[in-house]
Amino acid sequence: MKLWGGRFETGASDVFERFSGSLHFDKKLIDADCRGSQAFAQALERVGILSAAECTALFEAFEQIHVDAVQPEFFEGATDEDVHTLVIRKLRERVGALADKIHTGRSRNEQVSLDIRLWLREQIDTILHRLIGVMSALIPMARRYPDAVVPGYTHVRRAQAVLWPHYLLAYFEMFARDRQRFLETRARVNVLPLGSGALAGSGFPFDREAMARDLGFDSISRNSMDVAADRDFALDFLYAASVCMLHLSRLSEDWILYSSEEFGWLELGDGVTSGSSLMPQKKNPDSLELIRGKSGRVFGDLTSLLVTMKGLPMTYNRDMQEDKEPLFDAAAQLDASLEMLQVVIDSTRLNAAKPAAAAEESWVVATDLAEALARAGTPFHSAHQLVGRLVLESVNQGKKPSDWSAAELAAFAPEFTADMAKLLDPTEGMKTRALAGGTAPAAVAKAIDEAEARLQSWKR
Ligand code: ARG
């Protein structure tokens, strides 16, 4: 069955049918298609195209189709052009000729926009839930090691000491922004396109506000040509998914390194690692590597749709059918990656002595010393020079910070007062970073509480 054909003398070639058909992937939209069509049947009743009894018959038939669609044999042997065509064929099997009325004043161009919006809305809600799960897993890990000191890095060089919970909360903030981005995306997705027709607006005076209410949309679209041409909402989703995958990938990269023998900070659970078929000693971080790998794939999905849309003349073009597979793929990969990361976090333990030793034996305290000198009146530039010379001297003599006594420091330069020597311990200087957003233990304890309170409010 086709939704068109009167104008053609011969049927489509087999090759074209196979080439252009989208049912094998857009069947994912069947729930959305049925729900959208139910709301549309009600709209047709309101404008008098359907009687109340006809509307009820169609409504119930869509309900049944939607239920039947979970059976694998439902799609067996189907050669329909796309999911919208299949649903109408199934409708005709149930209600006969009455099915021919459902597409009155409606186009597949708006239907496909509607279905993707309904489907995406649900995906976004699932992802928001998973994001909360990942953020929730970070909190107990932060609380388990309230005073674990690690070197923070820039350029992969030890920079300044920070608390492990401070590091974890950095990711919490990234995921909190991801949550925000998905909520903003959801608002742009949650707009009713129905009533736009193929591109010019429907010729029937549908109550679009009522359809929006029936389908849980916040608002209605304002321009029918925009609806036919627009995939911004899909791109918004792919961008939000890409940035979120980027965060997952960076955390994965960190933890792959931190759990290596070279670092030895983290022990990943057996349940999220795998062995080697040849090397008996291996415990590989495959879960994290796959998350990192999948991030590239999701960026590809974003790029794919950007390039598909670029240069399309107004309004709908069949190219736009290529929107679905990247979208489905990105949603599935992001969902699976978030689920995986939460399990990884839950299974991971910090061997706090290792990073503490790394901080202790390096010059992560250099900034603390320079700032203490500045607080005591030495202009910062001179203080920086002075500590730089202290570090150079130490490197040349093979000394670490704790090898210096207060007397030796004072002998090196009189600007070093006795109380500055305690800053050679990385846990000391950290206490000065007590302003909001800093890594002082008190600031971090407060930040953990605040993060937890925000999480609670998001769960409500
Ligand atoms: N399967 C099509 C898609 O996903 C539905 C719209 C078809 N419209 C058309 N004018 N051929 O874009």
Side-chain angles (χ1 to χ4, degrees):
M1 188 200 93
K2 284 258 177 288
L3 297 179
W4 44 269
R7 186 243 174 271
F8 292 82
E9 288 178 355
T10 67
S13 81
D14 287 350
V15 174
F16 176 63
E17 293 254 314
R18 265 188 284 115
F19 181 70
S20 61
S22 56
L23 181 63
H24 60 286
F25 55 83
D26 67 16
K27 62 186 181 188
K28 240 191 182 63
L29 298 174
I30 189 142
D31 280 1
D33 205 72
C34 289
R35 274 186 288 144
S37 292
Q38 284 178 321
F40 191 64
Q42 290 172 303
L44 286 174
E45 187 200 339
R46 287 189 204 104
V47 295
I49 297 288
L50 294 177
S51 70
E54 286 174 329
C55 175
T56 306
L58 289 180
F59 197 94
E60 282 168 4
F62 284 123
E63 199 63 40
Q64 263 311 310
I65 293 170
H66 156 93
V67 170
D68 290 355
V70 300
Q71 306 299 332
E73 60 268 22
F74 182 84
F75 293 100
E76 229 164 68
T79 55
D80 310 272
E81 189 177 318
D82 55 22
V83 67
H84 325 293
T85 314
L86 170 122
V87 167
I88 290 184
R89 174 169 63 79
K90 295 280 182 182
L91 189 68
R92 185 168 302 124
E93 286 169 18
R94 297 195 161 271
V95 302
L98 174 58
D100 295 350
K101 286 192 177 180
I102 188 63
H103 215 55
T104 313
R106 182 178 72 170
S107 154
R108 276 184 298 166
N109 296 350
E110 57 184 331
Q111 205 179 350
V112 79
S113 168
L114 172 71
D115 290 6
I116 298 174
R117 287 169 188 272
L118 289 171
W119 180 84
L120 261 184
R121 200 169 68 179
E122 246 174 46
Q123 297 300 308
I124 291 171
D125 291 343
T126 306
I127 285 161
L128 287 169
H129 186 76
R130 291 244 190 257
L131 269 170
I132 300 261
V134 168
M135 286 188 272
S136 301
L138 289 172
I139 302 293
M141 196 191 205
R143 291 209 187 281
R144 204 175 302 130
Y145 310 101
D147 41 29
V149 174
V150 303
Y153 295 85
T154 62
H155 315 265
V156 208
R157 302 292 182 271
R158 292 174 192 169
Q160 291 183 279
V162 293
L163 287 178
W164 176 251
H166 194 58
Y167 161 84
L168 291 178
L169 288 182
Y171 279 102
F172 185 98
E173 292 309 321
M174 296 180 222
F175 296 133
R177 286 196 297 276
D178 288 329
R179 176 180 171 273
Q180 202 60 49
R181 248 184 298 277
F182 277 112
L183 286 172
E184 286 158 10
T185 298
R186 196 186 192 284
R188 278 192 288 275
V189 164
N190 207 27
V191 176
L192 175 90
L194 274 186
S196 301
L199 79 163
S202 182
F204 296 80
F206 295 129
D207 183 345
R208 300 189 64 212
E209 298 289 351
M211 279 194 282
R213 270 197 305 281
D214 288 345
L215 289 166
F217 285 112
D218 295 328
S219 58
I220 63 172
S221 59
R222 290 177 183 274
N223 183 293
S224 61
M225 292 183 80
D226 179 40
V227 164
D230 172 37
R231 288 295 181 271
D232 291 3
F233 59 96
L235 288 167
D236 284 344
F237 176 82
L238 289 170
Y239 176 70
S242 293
V243 178
C244 187
M245 286 301 301
L246 172 88
H247 297 148
L248 297 177
S249 182
R250 292 186 75 176
L251 190 149
S252 297
E253 169 66 10
D254 281 353
W255 289 25
I256 289 165
L257 290 177
Y258 297 168
S259 62
S260 68
E261 283 137 310
E262 280 66 21
F263 276 79
W265 298 11
L266 293 177
E267 186 64 31
L268 305 174
D270 282 3
V272 299
T273 47
S274 40
S276 155
S277 61
L278 188 139
M279 300 167 281
Q281 84 285 10
K282 292 301 287 295
K283 181 177 173 185
N284 295 327
D286 297 30
S287 49
L288 293 168
E289 291 169 309
L290 279 167
I291 294 172
R292 193 177 56 187
K294 284 170 187 294
S295 68
R297 183 169 160 177
V298 172
F299 303 166
D301 293 329
L302 169 63
T303 308
S304 158
L305 187 57
L306 281 170
V307 178
T308 298
M309 297 307 293
K310 172 187 176 297
L312 287 190
M314 288 286 268
T315 53
Y316 177 85
N317 300 268
R318 190 66 179 268
D319 316 42
M320 289 161 74
Q321 179 170 292
E322 298 295 321
D323 60 354
K324 284 166 216 63
E325 284 167 296
L327 211 47
F328 295 162
D329 183 63
Q333 301 315 319
L334 176 59
D335 181 49
S337 299
L338 286 166
E339 183 186 27
M340 185 73 258
L341 185 66
Q342 186 176 346
V343 177
V344 172
I345 296 171
D346 287 342
S347 82
T348 300
R349 294 295 172 264
L350 179 72
N351 174 13
K354 278 280 192 166
E360 204 264 334
E361 73 196 18
S362 60
W363 278 92
V364 294
V365 296
T367 308
D368 300 333
L369 283 171
E371 289 182 353
L373 289 169
R375 250 176 245 119
T378 306
F380 183 74
H381 186 66
S382 310
H384 188 290
Q385 287 284 113
L386 184 55
V387 178
R389 282 198 283 111
L390 178 72
V391 172
L392 180 62
E393 176 81 5
S394 303
V395 170
N396 289 339
Q397 293 184 27
K399 281 170 109 175
K400 57 185 198 268
S402 59
D403 292 335
W404 289 86
S405 68
E408 285 169 330
L409 270 189
F412 183 83
E415 289 87 340
F416 286 118
T417 57
D419 60 317
M420 288 179 195
K422 70 175 195 298
L423 291 172
L424 293 165
D425 174 353
T427 63
E428 279 301 316
M430 198 181 267
K431 293 177 190 160
T432 62
R433 313 193 179 283
L435 78 179
T439 194
V444 173
K446 190 162 168 246
I448 298 176
D449 289 342
E450 283 169 4
E452 191 150 38
R454 282 152 76 201
L455 260 177
Q456 289 311 326
S457 75
W458 298 336
K459 281 180 188 168
R460 278 196 292 274

